[in-house]
Amino acid sequence: MNRGAPPQDVVTAFVEYTEGRSHMTAEQLCRFLVEVQDETEVLVSDAEKIIERITCERHHITKFLRHTLNLDDFFSFLFSDDLNHPIDSKVHQDMASPLSHYFIYTSHNSYLTGNQINSECSDVPLIKALKRGVRALELDMWPNSTKDDILVLHGWAWTPPVELVKCLRSIKEHAFYASAYPVILTLEDHLTPDLQAKAAEMMKEIFMDMVYFPEAGGLKEFPSPEDLKYKIVISTKPPKGSLRKDKDSESDASGKASSDVSADDEKTEEETSEAKNEEDGFDQESSNLDFLTYSRLITIPSGNAKNGLKEALTIDNGGVRRLSLREQKFKKATEMYGTEVIKFTQKNLLRIYPKATRVNSSNYRPYNGWMYGAQMVAFNMQGYGRALWMMHGMFRGNGGCGYVKKPDFMMNNNLSGEVFNPKAKLPIKKTLKVKVYMGKGWDSGFQRTCFNTWSSPNFYTRVGITGVRGDKVMKKTKKEQKTWEPFWNEEFEFQLTVPELALLRIEVHDYNMPEKDDFSGQTCLPVSELRQGIRSVPLYDRKGERLVSVTLLMRFHFL
């Protein structure tokens, strides 16, 4: 086969739909899109626009005379990221359910530019996260040295701070750059009542009508993303002197200390700081108007499991809240109270954050949280690695709006009251066939120094599924020897028990024996969002940035 030439499946489709002729009309392209690509709502007018776009790009001189596609034009269309993307690019899920019904794109220590110990605090990571579609940001608020202003920094570390006001202004400016759906601002509060009042004034002055004020007395049920469009929602632990009842605060919901907290279950920095807030004089009289104003800004009251996991997971029928657990404590919660965790997340929000030893801003496997319904799996977005690629992949779903609807089976209990069990052995629900045809773009999308300087690359592709334990698998193609335009033409089959939670993982590497193989691009795609047919699949670098022009041609088919 000639390098860069269309695969046989593409040639066969072209011949079939043109009835052996040399050009494809809009009507024939429309039939191909409906019958092969499963785009059942496409019209001839849509096909005409595709032809116009392709001919304008490929035939500058004769573009006004051409109203059909030749084989190379058709091949170019199939390889186009913009016109033939692998998943739906628009919001298409129901957005009118309560917030607890969605996985939410969540960032941890969102203001840090690098590691957790001494990297600079800045508004730049906040802007980057919002532009990527992140919907939940975290700010740690501390007094400055003179106790008259508010800084954002990572406490008990050596991170140069940034002013809160600068962060708030950047959040306002970029909040809805990538998505119209609400931004949840989770605040770790280390402020005195006077500075809490100042923070409230800042937020009201900067956000103005963008900030959402909850009903007096707290919410009985969360509003929906649709209800909260273009709104900023504040979530933090209510001050002890606020008018909210203690039961509305996560960390106060536990009542007496529980025996299920072992001696080695030490508090982390975030848990310690929340508990310390109660001890440092936040039990003032609620007649302070400014103090009440700060409390009134809090839509989602939050806390931790300082009094024990069992009672922290107790469902309060009088209100809703957010529970924050570090990754180790969450793991313990799922081992001891897996059913209670899922039931809790059907009504309330659960946020998981990385353990303190992840000083290099690494991340944990997000599926550990998603499988139990945790909406806010908080990630160090400035990091990199496969865990972060999974996070990016999940939230490419639903048009990249930052909210992905949980599967119905996670929200509904059966007649006997049982909930979804992610550890159970389940029957196969769906089979996915994936064909990897070819790839291109490395000669322009990568610096040649990224590969072996003595010869052309030996590319191979790893394809697999990540999801519940029974669905996890990785396979790989053969190595294509010494070429910048690899042609694999290999097909793989994946049997899925929970396709609703599965991600398709794709990685390309350059075989480089005896040294470590060179990374050459990756992507993750939600299986439930895959568009059937022959599709263009763009690849990304280690940090999730698009590799310009590096693309695979693949085929997806469900049985």
Side-chain angles (χ1 to χ4, degrees), residues 304-441:
N304 54 51
K306 64 169 188 168
N307 290 330
L309 287 167
K310 185 174 182 179
E311 295 205 26
L313 292 167
T314 301
I315 297 173
D316 178 4
N317 293 322
V320 288
R321 53 198 170 92
R322 170 173 67 84
L323 175 63
S324 279
L325 297 176
R326 58 188 167 91
E327 60 178 286
Q328 306 104 307
K329 186 166 281 191
F330 173 74
K331 183 175 184 291
K332 180 179 178 181
T334 59
E335 290 170 350
M336 298 178 66
Y337 309 110
T339 297
E340 287 78 2
V341 170
I342 291 182
K343 287 183 177 179
F344 180 86
T345 61
Q346 290 175 344
K347 181 179 180 181
N348 301 280
L349 296 182
L350 176 56
R351 174 178 172 268
I352 311 167
Y353 57 91
K355 59 187 178 183
T357 54
R358 294 188 183 275
V359 295
N360 62 346
S361 295
S362 63
N363 289 296
Y364 50 97
R365 190 172 182 269
Y367 267 96
N368 297 339
W370 294 332
M371 288 189 299
Y372 285 90
Q375 299 89 349
M376 304 175 75
V377 180
F379 257 41
N380 294 311
M381 303 304 294
Q382 72 275 33
Y384 60 88
R386 288 188 173 92
L388 189 59
W389 302 347
M390 294 177 198
M391 179 67 73
H392 292 162
M394 170 65 85
F395 290 101
R396 288 190 179 105
N398 201 24
C401 74
Y403 287 84
V404 172
K405 191 85 158 48
K406 292 187 196 177
D408 289 341
F409 61 75
M410 300 194 80
M411 302 306 301
N412 303 321
N413 304 339
N414 63 22
L415 296 176
S416 60
E418 295 177 342
V419 300
F420 170 68
N421 180 3
K423 294 181 179 179
K425 188 173 183 180
L426 301 169
I428 294 168
K429 187 181 291 186
K430 189 173 288 189
T431 297
L432 170 65
K433 296 180 76 172
V434 177
K435 193 165 188 177
V436 187
Y437 290 114
M438 59 191 300
K440 68 175 185 178

Side-chain angles (χ1 to χ4, degrees), residues 37 39 77-90 525 529-532 534-538 556:
Q37 306 292 82
E39 298 178 31
F77 155 65
L78 291 175
F79 237 134
S80 169
D81 295 350
D82 295 336
L83 298 175
N84 192 35
H85 34 264
I87 61 174
D88 200 328
S89 59
K90 296 179 181 178
L525 300 169
E529 301 251 345
L530 289 174
R531 303 168 80 203
Q532 293 204 107
I534 302 171
R535 299 293 176 182
S536 173
V537 179
F556 307 117

